[in-house]
Amino acid sequence: MFVYLLERLYIKEGRTAKKLKLTKPAAYWDVHAGFHANAPVGTAPVTSLLPDPKGGVPENWTVVSDDDFQTMLTVNIPWIATDACPAPDTSIDDGYIQMMYLRKHGRFNLLLYLLALEDGGVQEQQFVDQIPTRAFRLQPCDKNVGGKRYIAIDGEEIEYTSIQIENLCGFLNIMSV
């Protein structure tokens, strides 16, 4: 199961949230500069949208049951490889996480999804939901269905436990040549 904060800027239309008006959130340092000015070195960033990890989620969060999806991909950039563009309309500094999940599907639909990654056509797939969000929690199911279950971030397996992610808009400056 995962839960996500569905911004009021979006509405559900069918299976995909359509943009009404994408407003970039305030930059992290514009909001929290005063807090960090007096905080000791090494103080964790303020995550204002995330609920207590051990508690429930606020009522304005949407819950998606593990019965509804098998695979999830979250990105904040359009391209994840030279030949994979899952979110062509996003940018690294827009303050949102593009969350895509595949509802229960067979191998053929998974193949269609992977092929659609090449040209950015993932949103056109009938079995894919794409939701722009600023924060989410992934809670793995406890069902014993046999076989090993995995959670991977950037291809690296992590502990099979709940995780929460929030996009901290403008937290880092990235410079490249």
Side-chain angles (χ1 to χ4, degrees), residues 34-35 60 175:
F35 170 78
N60 65 333
M175 295 181 259

Side-chain angles (χ1 to χ4, degrees), residues 66-128:
D66 61 338
D67 293 333
D68 295 334
F69 76 100
Q70 280 181 290
T71 304
M72 185 172 91
L73 172 67
T74 59
V75 297
N76 68 339
I77 55 175
W79 294 86
I80 58 173
T82 57
D83 60 349
C85 180
D89 298 330
T90 194
S91 67
I92 196 166
D93 67 342
D94 67 6
Y96 290 85
I97 301 165
Q98 298 295 327
M99 183 170 44
M100 285 151 277
Y101 61 94
L102 283 65
R103 288 184 303 287
K104 297 287 184 175
H105 57 81
R107 290 181 183 170
F108 181 71
N109 284 345
L110 180 59
L111 176 64
L112 292 176
Y113 170 77
L114 294 173
L115 291 171
L117 281 173
E118 289 185 35
D119 62 4
V122 173
Q123 301 94 333
E124 307 306 319
Q125 302 299 318
Q126 293 298 314
F127 52 89
V128 175

Side-chain angles (χ1 to χ4, degrees), residues 28-48:
Y28 179 85
W29 294 109
D30 292 343
V31 176
H32 302 290
F35 170 78
H36 287 287
N38 302 317
V41 174
T43 300
V46 177
T47 53
S48 57

Side-chain angles (χ1 to χ4, degrees), residues 1-2 66 138-143 149 151 159-163:
M1 166 175 68
F2 70 88
D66 61 338
L138 173 66
Q139 292 176 231
C141 65
D142 296 329
K143 294 179 190 173
R149 293 176 170 243
I151 297 177
E159 182 181 353
Y160 192 74
T161 187
S162 294
I163 58 172

Side-chain angles (χ1 to χ4, degrees), residues 135-174:
F136 71 90
R137 175 191 290 176
L138 173 66
Q139 292 176 231
C141 65
D142 296 329
K143 294 179 190 173
N144 185 2
V145 294
K148 184 167 176 163
R149 293 176 170 243
Y150 298 93
I151 297 177
I153 295 179
D154 202 21
E156 299 293 326
E157 183 180 356
I158 64 167
E159 182 181 353
Y160 192 74
T161 187
S162 294
I163 58 172
Q164 294 189 136
I165 295 178
E166 178 179 341
N167 188 324
L168 302 176
C169 184
F171 184 71
L172 296 173
N173 290 324
I174 299 174

